[in-house]
């Protein structure tokens, strides 16, 4: 039997999940319904990150959930994807916070950090008592991080870090920033703690997108960073790019949540809106548009699921993640725009989800590698030619 499509699962993805994965999804879905959706319109309107939700997210184990030890749950990658999907059904800003905390801060600490760094930071980050951010993008361009100008040079036993980062999620609220810098030996990662002399951050205001998320600029003016705050196993540009693979994977799932929310709202609206003497769902063109949304969502769900299983088997290639991030975010943006249109004039109101999702997805399609960058990554993979 084809499942009820009001929560789109036309191809019975739920049937492919383990009982644990279904439970994780249901728990996070409840959190989003009860705690995120009632406040998110107000947060978006007033450019406010709902920081009060951080302890609750931590209590649900949403930070670093695939990591082992240090207070992390060691869940499957599919479970992680479902967490991202449900959070982004609420808002891309809430998912972004969790993505950065998990994939861009806890992951590099776990993978490239010393025992001392892991013991100090991972439990606190998992409990939401510490917030992290990831500084790679710079004011002169984010797509080509190999050209970064931020640099660190040895000074006695320490490092002196100088430069600037731009568009950094959670930048001004972070207790610890994972900052990538060029050194004489190549790119290295540094843990810059809040309060380090010479380190300042200021928020980027007046965004039309990701308004419920903190986005900041960061400045480093000869910051003295002890050697113990360098990630010892991070060597070369591949280290930060490896972190991006984790976050891009989460985004491929997260985008599904935004698209599902838009589809559900469009379907509910079409069921009750009466025009020309009958409800919109009786119109062929409206049915075709809803069917098209469902087609796109369903195929993207299978793509995310297969990616998750490959990741669980440790067989996922980063070019596959690029294909999925490109496909699923493009799909979500198209679905959000179509849903916004179906809602008519009311669809531009903050009361309706699709316009908020649509605006958020304009960031999501740009960050973690723009759509063009992912097309070029896939292009390089199939041709062997780098066309960046
Ligand atoms: P390239 O020669 O391709 O790579 C250098 C080394 O890294 C390896 N590598 C990767 N490893 C793991 N995962 C990946 N995704 C990797 N991509 C490349 C590669 O094999 C190589 O290793 P080795 O051992 O041979 O040295 O480097 P390139 O300079 O040609 O750059 C390629 C390009 C353009 C794909 C890369 O620069 C890129 O991905 N640019 C986009 C930058 C980007 O996505 N920035 C995102 C910043 S963080 C963010 O946006 C957070 S948003 C908040 C949120 O998530 O919510
Ligand atoms: P550019 O790199 O200047 O690109 C401009 C245009 O040129 C784009 O359309 C791009 O697709 C195109 N382009 C680039 N290269 C090519 C090419 N070779 N051929 C053809 N076209 C090309 N970064 C972080 O490090 N940490 C964060 O936490 C973080 N959070 C973010 C949060 C938000 C809300 C946003 C919007 C961004 C965030 N970013 C973060 C930055 C993000 O990763 C960058 O915006 C992104 O990588 C693109 O860089 P850019 O904005 O400098 O655009």
């Amino acid at each position: 039997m084809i499942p009820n499509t009001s929560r789109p699962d036309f191809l019975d993805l739920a049937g492919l999940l383990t009982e644990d994965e279904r439970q994780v999804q249901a728990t996070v879905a409840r959190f989003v319904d009860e705690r995120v959706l009632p406040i998110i319109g107000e947060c978006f309107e007033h450019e406010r990150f709902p920081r009060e939700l951080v302890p609750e997210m931590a209590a649900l184990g949403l930070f670093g959930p695939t990591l082992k030890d240090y207070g992390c749950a060691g869940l499957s990658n599919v479970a992680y994807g479902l967490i991202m999907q449900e959070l982004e059904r609420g808002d891309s800003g809430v998912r972004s916070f969790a993505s950065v905390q998990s994939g861009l801060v806890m992951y590099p600490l776990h993978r490239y950090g010393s025992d001392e760094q892991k013991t100090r930071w991972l439990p606190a980050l998992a409990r939401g008592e510490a917030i992290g951010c990831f500084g790679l993008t710079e004011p002169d361009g984010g797509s080509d991080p190999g050209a970064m100008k931020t640099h660190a040079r040895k000074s006695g036993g320490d490092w002196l870090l100088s430069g600037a980062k731009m568009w950094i999620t959670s930048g001004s609220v972070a207790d610890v920033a994972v900052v990538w810098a060029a050194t004489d030996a190549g790119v290295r990662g540094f843990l810059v703690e809040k309060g380090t002399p010479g380190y300042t951050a200021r928020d980027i205001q007046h965004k039309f997108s990701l308004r419920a998320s903190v986005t900041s600029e960061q400045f480093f003016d000869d910051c003295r960073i002890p050697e113990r705050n360098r990630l010892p196993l991070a060597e070369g540009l591949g280290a930060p790019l490896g972190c991006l693979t984790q976050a891009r994977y989460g985004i491929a799932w997260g985008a599904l949540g935004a698209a599902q929310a838009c589809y559900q709202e469009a379907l509910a609206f079409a069921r009750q809106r009466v025009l020309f003497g009958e409800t919109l769902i009786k119109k062929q063109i409206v049915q075709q548009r809803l069917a098209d949304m469902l087609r796109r969502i369903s195929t993207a769900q299978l793509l995310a699921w297969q990616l998750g299983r490959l990741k669980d088997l440790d067989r996922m290639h980063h070019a596959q993640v690029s294909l999925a991030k490109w496909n699923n975010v493009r799909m979500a943006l198209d679905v959000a725009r179509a849903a916004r249109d179906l809602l008519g004039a009311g669809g531009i109101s903050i009361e309706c989800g699709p316009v908020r999702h649509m605006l958020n997805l304009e960031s999501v399609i740009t960050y973690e590698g723009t759509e063009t960058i992912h097309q070029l990554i896939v292009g390089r993979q199939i041709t062997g030619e780098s066309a960046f």
Side-chain angles (χ1 to χ4, degrees):
M1 202 179 89
I2 292 176
N4 178 348
T5 54
S6 64
R7 183 72 206 273
D9 188 14
F10 201 69
L11 299 176
D12 192 18
L13 188 72
L16 297 174
L17 305 177
T18 65
E19 186 50 37
D20 282 354
E21 288 164 350
R22 275 194 288 271
Q23 270 181 22
V24 167
Q25 179 177 8
T27 302
V28 186
R30 201 161 44 244
F31 165 75
V32 169
D33 289 341
E34 292 173 3
R35 305 292 295 140
V36 178
L37 291 177
I39 60 165
I40 200 63
E42 173 267 318
C43 290
F44 188 90
E45 187 168 10
H46 299 293
E47 251 179 308
R48 183 178 83 79
F49 169 64
R51 192 168 175 166
E52 67 274 19
L53 298 181
V54 171
E56 297 176 49
M57 291 165 77
L60 291 174
L62 305 191
F63 302 140
T66 58
L67 301 180
K68 298 213 166 57
D69 305 323
Y70 304 99
C72 303
L75 297 179
S76 75
N77 285 289
V78 170
Y80 176 72
L82 292 163
I83 292 171
M84 295 294 127
Q85 171 186 289
E86 293 308 318
L87 291 178
E88 196 146 1
R89 189 169 60 78
D91 191 80
S92 303
V94 177
R95 194 271 305 140
S96 262
F97 180 86
S99 284
V100 170
Q101 184 91 346
S102 300
L104 295 180
V105 179
M106 295 176 73
Y107 172 82
L109 273 160
H110 200 268
R111 167 109 191 245
Y112 307 123
S114 65
D115 287 343
E116 183 200 333
Q117 291 165 352
K118 291 184 206 185
T119 309
R120 168 148 186 227
W121 288 109
L122 286 174
L125 289 158
R127 289 195 299 267
E129 291 162 9
I131 291 177
C133 71
F134 179 89
L136 182 64
T137 302
E138 302 197 346
D140 288 340
S143 296
D144 183 13
M148 70 176 69
K149 293 185 178 147
T150 298
H151 58 275
R153 63 186 160 82
K154 272 269 173 77
S155 167
D158 301 332
W159 294 83
L160 286 179
L161 176 75
S162 288
K165 298 289 175 181
M166 181 89 178
W167 300 109
I168 306 306
T169 300
S170 306
S172 66
V173 294
D175 300 289
V176 59
V178 176
V179 178
W180 299 94
T183 72
D184 287 346
V187 172
R188 295 290 182 269
F190 297 89
L191 303 177
V192 182
E193 297 178 30
K194 196 171 201 162
T196 300
Y199 167 38
T200 48
R202 75 170 172 231
D203 286 343
I204 298 172
Q205 308 281 354
H206 310 299
K207 293 175 292 172
F208 281 115
S209 177
L210 266 284
R211 288 173 62 82
S213 170
V214 173
T215 317
S216 316
E217 293 174 273
Q218 297 176 316
F219 305 95
F220 308 95
D221 184 8
D222 266 349
C223 292
R224 185 165 285 277
I225 311 294
E227 168 65 15
R228 70 171 183 280
N229 275 18
R230 183 176 68 78
L231 294 171
L233 301 179
E235 291 191 350
L237 188 59
L241 294 182
C243 304
L244 299 187
T245 299
Q246 311 307 310
R248 291 167 178 174
Y249 169 80
I251 290 172
W253 279 90
L256 291 171
Q260 289 173 1
C262 295
Y263 163 82
Q264 279 183 277
E265 202 165 326
L267 178 58
F269 177 82
R271 279 192 200 288
Q272 54 84 24
R273 186 67 149 189
V274 177
L275 291 170
F276 299 95
E278 56 189 8
T279 53
L280 275 182
I281 52 166
K282 295 196 171 153
K283 309 291 180 191
Q284 284 187 344
I285 287 180
V286 172
Q287 285 198 10
Q288 183 270 331
R289 296 181 76 180
L290 291 166
D292 192 54
M293 288 184 206
L294 186 63
R295 169 183 66 83
R296 289 162 184 255
I297 291 169
S298 302
T299 48
Q301 280 173 311
L302 289 186
L303 176 50
W305 182 81
Q306 169 65 359
L307 200 65
R309 285 290 172 245
L310 286 175
K311 194 165 182 346
D312 280 332
L313 294 169
D314 207 15
R315 281 177 41 205
M316 185 186 79
H317 188 277
H318 61 75
Q320 293 169 325
V321 183
S322 284
L323 186 103
K325 195 263 183 185
W326 160 24
N327 183 78
N328 289 12
V329 179
R330 166 54 61 191
M331 175 283 294
L333 188 52
D334 290 346
V335 166
R337 283 176 177 159
R340 212 282 326 135
D341 177 70
L342 252 178
L343 296 179
I348 69 160
S349 163
I350 195 75
E351 303 293 319
C352 297
V355 70
R356 176 171 50 79
H357 284 296
M358 185 185 96
L359 292 169
N360 282 339
L361 288 161
E362 290 292 345
S363 284
V364 181
I365 206 162
T366 290
Y367 68 34
E368 285 295 350
T370 66
E371 185 173 57
T372 302
I373 287 296
H374 290 295
Q375 290 164 339
L376 292 172
I377 290 171
V378 175
R380 179 174 66 177
Q381 188 64 27
I382 55 184
T383 64
E385 298 288 344
S386 174
F388 294 105

